[in-house]
Amino acid sequence: GGQPSGGDTSGSGASGGGLTGSVNTDGSSTVAPLTEAAADLFRDEESGVNVSVATSGTGGGFKTFCAGETDVSNASRPIKDEEAADCEAAGIKYTEIVAANDGLSVIVNPENDWAEDLTVEQLNLIWGPEAEGKITNWNQVDPSFPDQAITLFGAGTDSGTFDYFTEEINGEDGAIRTDYSPSEDDNITIQGVAGDVGAIGFLGLSYVEENEGVVKAVAVDGVMPSTETVQDGTYTPLGRPLFIYVNNASYVDKEQVKSFIDFYVANSAEIAERALFVPLTEDQVTTATDELASLG
Amino acid sequence: MTAIIERRGGPASGRAPAPASSFAGRRRPGEFLIKLALRLAAAVTVVTTVGILIALLIPSLSFFAEVPVLEFLFGTRWAPRFADASFGVLPLVTATLWTTLIALLVAVPFGLGAATLLAEYARPRVRKVLKPLLEILAGIPTVVYGFFALQFVQGTVLRDWLHLPTGAFSVLAAGLVMGVMIIPTIASIAEDAMSAVPQALRQGSAALGANRMQTTLRVVFPAALSGIVAAVVLGISRAVGETMIVAIAAGNQAQLVTNPLDQGQTMTGFIANAALGDSRVGSLEYNTLFAVGLLLFLITLLINFISIRFVRRFREAY
Amino acid sequence: MSPTSTTATQPLRASAPIATGRNGEMRPSALAFLLLLWLSLFVAFAVLITLLITIFLTGQNKLSTALLFNFPSADPDEAGARPAILGSVWAIGATAVMTLPLGIAAAVHLEEFADRKRWFNRFIELNVQNLAAVPSIVYGLLALAFLSMLGVTNKNIVIGGAFALTLLILPVIIIATREALRAVPREIRDGSLALGATQWQTTWRQVLPASVPGIATGSILALSRALGEAAPLLVLGALVYITFDPNGLLSGYTTLPIQIFNWTGRPQEGFHELAGATSILLLAVLILMNALAIFIRNKFQKRW
Amino acid sequence: MSTPTGSAATATHTNFHAAETRRLAATPSGLIRCEDVNVYYGEFRAVTGVNLEFGRNEITALIGPSGCGKSTLLRSLNRMNDLVDGARVEGTVLFQDEDIYAKAVDPIEVRRRIGMVFQKPNPFPKSIYDNIAYGPRVTGMKVDNMDDLVEEALTRSALWGEVKDKLKQSAFGLSGGQQQRLCIARTIAVQPDVILMDEPCSALDPIATSRIEDLMHELRKDYTIIIVTHNMQQAARVADRTAFFTALADESTGDRTGVLVEYDLTRNIFEQPQDQRTEDYISGRFG
Amino acid sequence: MSTPTGSAATATHTNFHAAETRRLAATPSGLIRCEDVNVYYGEFRAVTGVNLEFGRNEITALIGPSGCGKSTLLRSLNRMNDLVDGARVEGTVLFQDEDIYAKAVDPIEVRRRIGMVFQKPNPFPKSIYDNIAYGPRVTGMKVDNMDDLVEEALTRSALWGEVKDKLKQSAFGLSGGQQQRLCIARTIAVQPDVILMDEPCSALDPIATSRIEDLMHELRKDYTIIIVTHNMQQAARVADRTAFFTALADESTGDRTGVLVEYDLTRNIFEQPQDQRTEDYISGRFG
Ligand SMILES: Nc1ncnc2c1ncn2[C@@H]1O[C@H](COP(=O)(O)OP(=O)(O)OP(=O)(O)O)[C@@H](O)[C@H]1O
Ligand SMILES: Nc1ncnc2c1ncn2[C@@H]1O[C@H](COP(=O)(O)OP(=O)(O)OP(=O)(O)O)[C@@H](O)[C@H]1O
Ligand SMILES: [Mg+2]
Ligand SMILES: [Mg+2]
């Protein structure tokens, strides 16, 4: 599993570079800790820059982003076509940067000793729209499972996590049974699963690692989510990248935004570790650096 | 003595010729402007109400253009933001009813008990200490109550201590804590109502050989009944409108709640949870928020009017 | 029998002693009733104390100056609530500045000038009572819709939150102020008017000064309610991580209840402790405000 | 400046009804006796050193200027002061030679036996019937037939004829005078020995007042009545004996406290007051 | 049943001070004249058809049982009733032959010219000095030296000696009688022509009462005074003329309304009342 971040900060450059101004970010609450960690570390370099992180969800973030309100949008899934169209209509040009990786994890109650490894098909059986009102007991998922009612918890509909999970497991963005307990607050999901033997839920890997013993992760198609399995790509289909979208104009025109984003990418490993995410691979770092370089 | 205070119409001057203007009004434009400003300030409250109505109605109208009113009101499946959307608000309403009912079961007896103690038994000095202490309960931020309900009441008391078959959330836990929060509201109004019962009635009862309990139950309660009803009704209104406790502790699954140990999403819980994300202005999701808000507003409006009626009745009685 | 009594019909009962040894106030039913009443209060206080203890146990580790002076951070050991504290100050300050003059003016109009015979004034009264019981989240929706209509897309600004909070506590302040004004005896007004003072002079120079303690008490209580409110601000979208001090009405901000709400939603236990510590802080402030209000009420409120 | 010196008699005609129709002993029989009674409200001493006996089947009036402690003393005779915060009685109040403040005494029973009628009629917000039945019910009286009891109480208080057809209606529908008689009926219903009345007519019009005064004469046959009144002519009309109180300023503190100035047969108080203060009061020089 | 019939005279001695020290015209000079005045509170008519003239530099007393509309009428003389919700005056009230309810009349100015002193002393929660200075300040009087004005007002109201060393202290520190004289001083300070007094002594003790009565005699030299009182002896002592009011029940509605029964020189009212109701009231048969 991943290690909680250490306390040591990078602080490589001389602090107080003299920049001022603000960097406004909004978007996924899953990605928010990543950007916050970046801002934490960045503050040691450029204490004059105000970084703010709002958490309207990935979809909500894109709305303000495409209205030109924010410089950076945090996203736990790629931008959708309609959202891109909005940006285009508003004349907003942007760059997508993968900032870290995450293993979207399926979790169950620690006392659940039957569902330790589920297939994508089983997950689809449990979570698909057709399951609504029908699949209510674990023994319907697999006859060998005990007679135990299933209760479901998961991310709220505005989150990228929701979009990603529905896309990957149910084959269509937003397609999911509705008789589950959606929450924009992942910790509520933890509470839900921890409080119910028959519960199952999904959320980011960091929550699983922080709540060992409270909830436990389920292997998907035989692979447990972890830094390694996510980085080496074996944890599929739920291993996923986390994104930040940078407003090109902001990057070019606002020195503080450029400085922050450059810092973000340059220190991605440390930032990811601090925020309990899976760091970028070498290739991903190179790609991101190149993308930025092309902006000038 | 220096006659600084001169007599204007004294006998010395005889009947002073009284010109028609002797009382003529001084013009006081400042006074007029001030009164106008005050009136405008008062009118702001009306503007607020109109604002609420407009703010809720316009998105709601767009909402009802897409979703028939009857389907909204009587539908039993609430899944507004899913691919397979449906807009039956009854699940939210049932959850609201449950949390409200449970809250009242706590707040009414305890609130009335506390009010009776304060109004009928406590000496002024004791009351002076107890009442503010009780009011702290109403001052605790509801976020704090929410986590108390979720972690302590639901997690520790209901699950660990009582071993009740309940999950992570329940309308029971939310309702119980909400009830505690409402105790001071009910106590305060009920106490007002009881204190408004003239001392003469208590004395009359005591002079006939009734003890305090008899006086309280048989004279003061009936006499303060409308005020007590008003207190309960206002308690209902508070419970229906409370947001953070239910958003945190009642759960987020919109389902028809039949068992208080189940989770459920209330109307306010839905609005709060939906608002945590950010819906595009004008989208159906956004309008849904306001349709539920409108329903909530209308329900509390109705309740408030009932409560105001009863308050007025006890104010008028004495 | 008394020799002076002309019609000696005093019945037998006259000789029954009154020293029965019993006491009607101490009948079992009466004692049980009293016990129930005390129980009501006891339950309420028991919950209060339990709540305070659980919060304290959660938050005690994180009660430090770091909480007061540090910015939020992705690392719970470094995070503090500084922007939330300042944000609360800004939001409540702006709310106070907007709502106090408005609320007091409206109350003065209703109590001192309005002719209750006019339907409009009666309607305003009714309306204020009703607004006082409108759920707070509805005010959030109102502010959301209002800001949207103005075309403001970034609703995470001090003035937006203050707007919602102002409308939320305006009726509370109006009602409290009216009560304070009503407590000033008629005689003071009559005395002033009989000297040839105008109604406004009477209000401004006699009634308002005399009701300052009552108004202050009500206002502090109303503002403390605003300070603890989270729901309407949540609807406006809440900033939770800012690395700067809110510094103006258009500045981004977060408040203590929102910060608590957010931290409790984090995976790390450390953030939950922070939420507990922040709750302690918020509660301490609220209880202090309550105590101040009660102090003012007891100390300065004249009993006429 | 003007010192009142003239002596033009007013056209006042007073009827010493009580004195004229009854022969009274020089000293009362002492159904209730106050011995050195002081009454305090917290630190403040409202009544000081009262020694007074009230005669059985007599009407005794307490008169005196406002604030001299008449009501306070009256309430201490049936322990109604127990219900007032901070009120405290020193000295002895004997009822049938029993100390009503003794430990073993049930204050509830004291109040049943020594009933009270108040200044403003205070019917309960119930029906006329229930107003009367309330006392017997709460005191747990054994009542064979409540209807009879209600009828008798109302008859005794001269109200039966007026209300017999609307017993189930709210008592609030009655006129002020009827309400006051209802309160008297209510008191009678629990079979007290003594009825205390604190300015029972001051909220009533002349006709209602005169009906109550008539009623008091009736009731005297069976009850002992102690009445506080502001209206001296009323005292003269109804009372067998009259006690005059006034308020004295304490030399040290400046606090005013009520004292008994003079107590005598009513006619004596009004025609040959022994104390100058009594005479000043009776003649309207203050009050 | 007892019907008051006896005629034993009380020991009452009344001093018709006013009548004895002054010769008065048979009809008053009419500084204020009420013509057919009705006063309503909403639908309820509290006072009906009053015709009355108040003489310049005279003291006129209004007496009558509680609720007969004395205060209501008094307040309609300086438009204090304007401030009571629903109160409405019909008929004409003339002050120096001007209709004070005419359109062009400023009620504020009416109240300054016709001052008022109330039942309960109502000093402002300010210093003694500021209590006096308040009126001149708010009415915008041109005052050369406020200190002199304050001194004179206090002197005229016989208070200067008692308070001259504590002008800056709160008026609440004064005794009730001093407070009432302060209220009179406050009224004098705005130079009114008439002073209305609504039971100014009913909250005061005998000594304070007598000081106020003395003061009224002093003030009569410069002011016209109209006083409502419950104390008939007070009316007899201070008033030049007395008006007796009572409350009549309306045949149709049963509502009671106040009417003027009799108005005459005080001595006549007390010694030769023309109306049976006046005599009944004066002799204490009700009230
Ligand atoms: N509950 C109380 N607490 C404190 N002081 C009181 C209380 N009741 C009365 N007093 C004071 O005790 C004194 C005597 O009051 P009391 O009411 O007995 O007078 P009273 O003779 O009945 O007057 P009145 O004729 O006005 O009814 C007064 O100074 C009064 O202010
Ligand atoms: N503000 C008011 N609104 C409605 N009715 C009123 C109002 N003030 C007085 N009244 C009524 O008008 C009538 C006359 O009242 P008013 O106060 O003038 O009587 P009063 O002669 O001064 O009595 P008292 O001797 O008790 O002072 C009464 O029936 C009273 O109830
Ligand atoms: Mg009394
Ligand atoms: Mg009056």
Side-chain angles (χ1 to χ4, degrees):
Chain A
Q3 275 77 45
S5 72
D8 65 326
T9 54
S10 73
S12 50
S15 69
L19 285 178
T20 56
S22 60
V23 180
N24 294 324
T25 80
D26 192 355
S28 163
S29 59
T30 307
V31 183
L34 195 69
T35 303
E36 289 175 17
D40 280 352
L41 299 177
F42 184 63
R43 192 163 62 229
D44 296 336
E45 308 258 306
E46 292 287 354
S47 58
V49 176
N50 295 337
V51 181
S52 65
V53 184
T55 52
S56 304
T58 300
F62 278 128
K63 277 162 209 155
T64 47
F65 184 70
C66 292
E69 287 287 317
T70 51
D71 303 308
V72 177
S73 202
N74 303 314
S76 55
R77 56 157 171 80
I79 192 165
K80 291 182 192 171
D81 292 345
E82 316 95 78
E83 289 161 347
D86 277 354
C87 270
E88 185 157 359
I92 305 283
K93 300 237 174 348
Y94 56 85
T95 304
E96 174 189 287
I97 292 167
V98 177
N101 296 304
D102 187 18
L104 208 167
S105 309
V106 176
I107 54 168
V108 293
N109 191 280
E111 285 170 40
N112 178 329
D113 53 8
W114 58 90
E116 297 186 318
D117 184 352
L118 295 172
T119 63
V120 172
E121 289 71 38
Q122 282 174 317
L123 286 175
N124 174 254
L125 179 65
I126 295 171
W127 287 99
E130 316 75 37
E132 180 165 336
K134 298 203 186 77
I135 306 297
T136 55
N137 196 301
W138 280 101
N139 60 20
Q140 291 169 284
V141 179
D142 186 323
S144 71
F145 289 169
D147 174 16
Q148 170 74 46
I150 294 187
T151 45
L152 302 114
F153 298 86
T157 48
D158 244 5
S159 67
T161 308
F162 170 84
D163 296 337
Y164 196 85
F165 186 81
T166 50
E167 176 92 49
E168 295 301 327
I169 299 298
N170 297 334
E172 188 196 337
D173 184 356
I176 194 168
R177 66 191 292 177
T178 62
D179 54 348
Y180 83 102
S181 185
S183 176
E184 301 293 339
D185 180 342
D186 287 332
N187 209 47
I188 298 258
T189 304
I190 295 278
Q191 300 265 356
V193 175
D196 196 325
V197 181
I200 183 168
F202 60 90
L203 37 56
L205 180 58
S206 56
Y207 282 82
V208 182
E209 291 173 338
E210 278 300 310
N211 289 282
E212 273 191 48
V214 181
V215 295
K216 72 177 181 189
V218 173
V220 177
D221 286 339
V223 183
M224 284 294 282
S226 73
T227 307
E228 294 74 35
T229 57
V230 170
Q231 269 195 332
D232 65 19
T234 51
Y235 184 65
T236 46
L238 293 177
R240 59 166 174 177
L242 301 177
F243 305 92
I244 55 174
Y245 283 74
V246 183
N247 182 320
N248 289 354
S250 294
Y251 185 83
V252 173
D253 299 342
K254 299 185 187 169
E255 227 178 310
Q256 74 272 19
V257 175
K258 178 176 182 347
S259 173
F260 176 63
I261 297 299
D262 289 346
F263 179 87
Y264 206 142
V265 173
N267 297 280
S268 64
E270 191 183 352
I271 292 168
E273 206 175 312
R274 193 177 166 89
L276 310 180
F277 287 112
V278 177
L280 298 181
T281 59
E282 298 277 319
D283 289 351
Q284 288 173 312
V285 174
T286 315
T287 314
T289 317
D290 292 349
E291 290 268 8
L292 288 176
S294 71
L295 286 176
Chain B
M1 183 192 295
T2 44
I4 292 168
I5 299 179
E6 273 171 40
R7 296 282 300 105
R8 290 187 186 172
S13 52
R15 172 156 297 194
S21 60
S22 80
F23 283 129
R26 251 200 287 150
R27 244 168 258 289
R28 298 183 177 88
E31 193 107 343
F32 175 77
L33 285 179
I34 287 169
K35 283 187 195 170
L36 189 69
L38 297 179
R39 182 180 301 237
L40 286 180
V44 166
T45 61
V46 177
V47 175
T48 307
T49 305
V50 174
I52 290 177
L53 277 175
I54 293 178
L56 296 178
L57 267 178
I58 290 180
S60 296
L61 287 180
S62 326
F63 173 82
F64 288 119
E66 293 184 49
V67 179
V69 177
L70 289 181
E71 185 191 322
F72 175 70
L73 287 180
F74 299 108
T76 55
R77 183 166 172 274
W78 181 255
R81 306 187 337 145
F82 294 98
D84 175 21
S86 79
F87 298 89
V89 81
L90 279 184
L92 303 186
V93 173
T94 54
T96 303
L97 281 179
W98 271 106
T99 51
T100 303
L101 181 75
I102 294 162
L104 287 182
L105 287 178
V106 173
V108 170
F110 292 135
L112 291 187
T116 309
L117 191 71
L118 292 175
E120 303 297 316
Y121 285 85
R123 283 159 190 275
R125 219 178 272 161
V126 179
R127 175 167 38 209
K128 238 172 154 177
V129 176
L130 290 183
K131 214 178 158 182
L133 281 180
L134 191 63
E135 255 145 36
I136 291 180
L137 281 176
I140 290 177
T142 49
V143 190
V144 174
Y145 269 126
F147 290 111
F148 179 69
L150 178 65
Q151 273 146 11
F152 185 76
V153 177
Q154 175 72 7
T156 308
V157 177
L158 296 185
R159 274 208 318 261
D160 295 353
W161 293 355
L162 300 178
H163 298 295
L164 290 177
T166 181
F169 312 99
S170 71
V171 292
L172 179 62
L176 289 175
V177 171
M178 206 150 85
V180 172
M181 181 195 80
I182 296 170
I183 286 176
T185 305
I186 291 192
S188 161
I189 296 176
E191 196 216 326
D192 274 359
M194 286 190 240
S195 301
V197 173
Q199 205 58 27
L201 287 186
R202 288 185 192 88
Q203 290 179 349
S205 172
L208 292 173
N211 63 23
R212 259 178 212 263
M213 176 189 72
Q214 290 168 324
T215 303
T216 301
L217 290 177
R218 305 176 77 147
V219 174
V220 178
F221 271 16
L225 189 64
S226 59
I228 291 172
V229 173
V232 173
V233 174
L234 190 67
I236 298 176
S237 159
R238 277 281 139 77
V240 169
E242 170 47 36
T243 303
M244 294 312 287
I245 298 179
V246 290
I248 293 168
N252 287 310
Q253 185 170 347
Q255 56 177 1
L256 283 171
V257 181
T258 49
N259 176 351
L261 292 172
D262 285 348
Q263 58 169 321
Q265 190 172 45
T266 66
M267 291 187 279
T268 52
F270 166 75
I271 297 173
N273 202 47
L276 271 181
D278 194 8
S279 310
R280 187 197 321 252
V281 174
S283 67
L284 185 58
E285 289 171 20
Y286 179 87
N287 294 340
T288 309
L289 215 59
F290 286 85
V292 176
L294 180 65
L295 181 65
L296 178 67
F297 178 71
L298 292 179
I299 290 175
T300 50
L301 189 73
L302 181 73
I303 298 171
N304 294 343
F305 276 125
I306 295 172
S307 144
I308 290 168
R309 269 199 102 93
F310 279 105
V311 168
R312 188 164 298 164
R313 205 176 292 172
F314 94 77
R315 292 261 156 80
E316 270 166 10
Y318 301 106
Chain C
M1 275 273 102
S2 151
T4 57
S5 129
T6 47
T7 44
T9 53
Q10 199 78 331
L12 297 169
R13 52 190 154 85
S15 54
I18 52 171
T20 56
R22 282 177 281 120
N23 186 337
E25 295 291 2
M26 300 289 169
R27 277 178 223 160
S29 59
L31 290 179
F33 181 66
L34 187 56
L35 193 72
L36 276 179
L37 298 186
W38 275 109
L39 191 72
S40 312
L41 217 55
F42 173 79
V43 166
F45 289 143
V47 173
L48 178 63
I49 289 168
T50 314
L51 184 144
L52 294 179
I53 290 175
T54 55
I55 292 173
F56 184 77
L57 291 180
T58 314
Q60 55 178 346
N61 290 334
K62 286 286 193 293
L63 275 179
S64 66
T65 49
L67 182 70
L68 298 180
F69 297 117
N70 283 13
F71 287 98
S73 161
D75 180 354
D77 292 328
E78 290 172 17
R82 172 186 176 133
I85 293 169
L86 290 169
S88 277
V89 170
W90 268 101
I92 299 307
T95 302
V97 167
M98 291 195 283
T99 196
L100 287 181
L102 208 54
I104 293 172
V108 165
H109 171 75
L110 289 175
E111 200 57 37
E112 304 290 324
F113 294 97
D115 177 357
R116 244 145 264 167
K117 290 263 155 357
R118 300 268 290 276
W119 71 268
F120 184 66
N121 292 319
R122 285 211 309 269
F123 175 69
I124 291 181
E125 284 202 45
L126 189 71
N127 186 45
V128 169
Q129 285 181 58
N130 176 54
L131 282 179
V134 167
S136 61
I137 199 160
V138 170
Y139 288 99
L141 289 177
L142 171 63
L144 177 65
F146 182 67
L147 292 178
S148 301
M149 279 175 206
L150 288 186
V152 180
T153 36
N154 181 9
K155 296 166 192 98
N156 292 319
I157 48 176
V158 169
I159 189 76
F163 175 70
L165 294 177
T166 294
L167 296 182
L168 171 69
I169 64 169
L170 184 62
V172 184
I173 291 199
I174 292 177
I175 290 172
T177 303
R178 288 190 68 182
E179 240 147 57
L181 294 174
R182 218 173 293 148
V184 177
R186 241 215 103 70
E187 288 91 65
I188 296 292
R189 294 182 182 82
D190 283 350
S192 171
L193 292 166
L195 291 174
T198 65
Q199 251 181 302
W200 170 245
Q201 284 172 325
T202 301
T203 304
W204 181 247
R205 304 177 73 143
Q206 299 291 356
V207 180
L208 277 175
S211 51
V212 161
I215 295 174
T217 303
S219 304
I220 292 172
L221 292 177
L223 288 174
S224 78
R225 167 149 182 227
L227 180 58
E229 247 334 317
L233 302 184
L234 220 51
V235 173
L236 289 175
L239 263 186
V240 287
Y241 177 91
I242 43 181
T243 60
F244 54 92
D245 296 338
N247 57 1
L249 293 179
L250 297 177
S251 161
Y253 76 113
T254 184
T255 66
L256 288 168
I258 299 290
Q259 187 75 67
I260 293 170
F261 184 67
N262 177 269
W263 273 341
T264 322
R266 296 295 175 114
Q268 296 97 321
E269 183 58 30
F271 280 119
H272 303 171
E273 293 176 5
L274 271 174
T278 313
S279 298
I280 297 173
L281 179 68
L282 180 57
L283 273 174
V285 173
L286 289 175
I287 290 176
L288 269 180
M289 287 174 78
N290 271 271
L292 178 67
I294 292 159
F295 173 77
I296 293 176
R297 177 161 65 204
N298 290 347
K299 173 101 184 180
F300 297 105
Q301 211 136 317
K302 285 195 190 64
R303 263 161 282 284
W304 301 91
Chain D
M1 255 330 342
S2 72
T3 339
T5 48
S7 63
T10 63
T12 308
H13 301 282
T14 308
N15 309 292
F16 295 103
H17 176 95
E20 275 164 352
T21 53
R22 316 215 303 166
R23 263 163 311 154
L24 289 168
T27 55
S29 67
L31 181 67
I32 297 183
R33 291 212 306 277
C34 298
E35 291 174 2
D36 257 331
V37 169
N38 298 330
V39 191
Y40 293 80
Y41 293 112
E43 293 302 291
F44 168 64
R45 184 154 69 171
V47 170
T48 302
V50 170
N51 285 289
L52 201 50
E53 300 200 1
F54 299 96
R56 186 188 296 274
N57 291 71
E58 287 184 9
I59 299 179
T60 309
L62 312 183
I63 64 171
S66 197
C68 69
K70 303 177 297 292
S71 303
T72 301
L73 181 70
L74 197 73
R75 282 198 305 264
S76 70
L77 300 182
N78 72 341
R79 297 193 59 170
M80 283 296 284
N81 270 343
D82 288 18
L83 307 175
V84 177
D85 258 315
R88 190 161 46 81
V89 175
E90 271 180 8
T92 319
V93 179
L94 299 174
F95 171 66
Q96 292 180 342
D97 297 322
E98 280 184 86
D99 181 352
I100 65 168
Y101 285 93
K103 253 223 142 123
V105 167
D106 182 358
I108 304 287
E109 179 66 9
V110 171
R111 285 182 216 126
R112 191 192 62 72
R113 297 278 287 279
I114 307 178
M116 192 157 193
V117 174
F118 301 83
Q119 178 161 8
K120 252 191 71 201
N122 57 351
F124 301 131
K126 298 173 185 283
S127 72
I128 293 171
Y129 186 98
D130 286 340
N131 261 276
I132 308 285
Y134 178 81
R137 282 178 187 150
V138 296
T139 53
M141 266 171 63
K142 278 173 202 60
V143 178
D144 293 336
N145 186 332
M146 187 61 84
D147 293 357
D148 290 350
L149 188 146
V150 169
E151 178 171 348
E152 192 190 330
L154 285 169
T155 308
R156 284 203 184 208
S157 48
L159 198 59
W160 177 248
E162 291 159 59
V163 304
K164 65 171 182 284
D165 297 328
K166 46 181 182 181
L167 291 176
K168 293 291 167 208
Q169 289 174 25
S170 165
F172 285 177
L174 299 177
S175 75
Q178 289 174 325
Q179 287 187 3
Q180 194 63 302
R181 275 178 285 148
L182 179 69
C183 291
I184 294 175
R186 194 170 73 176
T187 305
I188 291 173
V190 293
Q191 308 180 353
D193 300 313
V194 180
I195 303 176
L196 310 177
M197 299 185 173
D198 193 351
E199 307 193 31
C201 303
S202 69
L204 304 183
D205 61 39
I207 293 155
T209 299
S210 127
R211 298 206 62 161
I212 302 269
E213 288 179 7
D214 292 347
L215 176 59
M216 286 168 67
H217 283 295
E218 280 295 312
L219 293 174
R220 178 170 52 178
K221 291 181 201 128
D222 295 324
Y223 304 91
T224 301
I225 296 176
I226 305 173
I227 176 176
V228 168
T229 175
H230 252 122
N231 181 326
M232 274 172 289
Q233 282 76 14
Q234 182 170 64
R237 285 192 298 264
V238 302
D240 297 303
R241 291 176 212 273
T242 297
F244 171 67
F245 292 79
T246 196
L248 290 184
D250 186 10
E251 309 88 63
S252 52
T253 63
D255 275 349
R256 298 169 72 222
T257 187
V259 293
L260 173 62
V261 175
E262 200 170 346
Y263 179 43
D264 208 336
L265 290 175
T266 299
R267 180 184 287 272
N268 295 348
I269 288 281
F270 279 83
E271 295 190 341
Q272 323 150 7
Q274 303 296 307
D275 196 294
Q276 180 63 36
R277 291 168 297 185
T278 316
E279 177 163 353
D280 282 355
Y281 184 74
I282 301 290
S283 64
R285 256 183 226 117
F286 71 91
Chain E
M1 284 263 119
S2 72
T3 338
T5 48
S7 64
T10 63
T12 308
H13 303 281
T14 307
N15 308 292
F16 294 103
H17 176 94
E20 274 163 354
T21 54
R22 316 214 303 164
R23 263 167 306 154
L24 289 167
T27 54
S29 67
L31 181 67
I32 296 183
R33 291 211 306 275
C34 298
E35 291 173 2
D36 257 330
V37 169
N38 298 329
V39 190
Y40 294 80
Y41 292 112
E43 294 301 291
F44 168 64
R45 184 155 67 172
V47 170
T48 303
V50 170
N51 284 290
L52 201 52
E53 299 200 1
F54 299 96
R56 186 189 295 275
N57 292 73
E58 288 185 6
I59 299 180
T60 309
L62 311 183
I63 65 172
S66 198
C68 68
K70 306 179 292 294
S71 304
T72 300
L73 180 69
L74 197 73
R75 281 200 306 267
S76 69
L77 301 183
N78 72 341
R79 299 194 59 172
M80 282 296 283
N81 270 344
D82 288 18
L83 307 164
V84 176
D85 263 327
R88 189 160 48 81
V89 176
E90 272 179 8
T92 318
V93 180
L94 299 173
F95 173 68
Q96 292 181 339
D97 298 322
E98 278 187 81
D99 181 352
I100 65 168
Y101 286 91
K103 231 183 166 167
V105 166
D106 181 2
I108 308 284
E109 179 65 10
V110 171
R111 286 182 216 124
R112 192 195 61 70
R113 299 270 289 278
I114 307 178
M116 191 157 194
V117 174
F118 300 84
Q119 178 160 9
K120 251 189 71 200
N122 58 350
F124 303 129
K126 298 172 183 284
S127 72
I128 294 171
Y129 185 99
D130 287 339
N131 260 275
I132 307 285
Y134 178 78
R137 281 178 187 149
V138 294
T139 53
M141 266 169 65
K142 278 172 202 60
V143 178
D144 292 337
N145 187 330
M146 187 62 85
D147 293 358
D148 289 349
L149 188 146
V150 168
E151 177 172 347
E152 194 188 331
L154 286 169
T155 308
R156 283 202 183 207
S157 47
L159 198 60
W160 177 249
E162 291 159 60
V163 304
K164 65 170 181 286
D165 297 328
K166 46 181 183 181
L167 291 176
K168 293 291 165 207
Q169 289 174 25
S170 165
F172 285 179
L174 299 177
S175 76
Q178 289 174 324
Q179 287 187 2
Q180 195 63 300
R181 275 178 285 149
L182 179 69
C183 291
I184 295 174
R186 193 170 74 179
T187 305
I188 291 174
V190 293
Q191 310 180 351
D193 300 313
V194 180
I195 303 176
L196 310 177
M197 298 186 172
D198 193 353
E199 307 193 32
C201 303
S202 69
L204 305 182
D205 62 37
I207 293 155
T209 298
S210 127
R211 297 205 63 161
I212 301 270
E213 290 179 6
D214 292 349
L215 175 58
M216 287 168 66
H217 284 295
E218 278 296 314
L219 292 175
R220 180 170 49 177
K221 291 183 202 125
D222 294 323
Y223 303 90
T224 300
I225 296 177
I226 304 173
I227 176 175
V228 168
T229 176
H230 252 122
N231 182 324
M232 275 172 288
Q233 281 75 16
Q234 182 169 63
R237 285 192 297 266
V238 302
D240 296 303
R241 291 176 211 273
T242 296
F244 172 66
F245 292 79
T246 196
L248 290 184
D250 187 9
E251 309 88 63
S252 52
T253 63
D255 274 351
R256 297 168 74 223
T257 186
V259 292
L260 172 63
V261 175
E262 200 169 348
Y263 179 43
D264 208 336
L265 291 176
T266 299
R267 179 186 288 271
N268 294 347
I269 288 282
F270 279 84
E271 296 191 340
Q272 324 149 6
Q274 303 296 307
D275 196 294
Q276 181 61 35
R277 292 167 297 185
T278 315
E279 178 163 352
D280 282 356
Y281 184 73
I282 300 290
S283 64
R285 256 184 225 117
F286 71 94

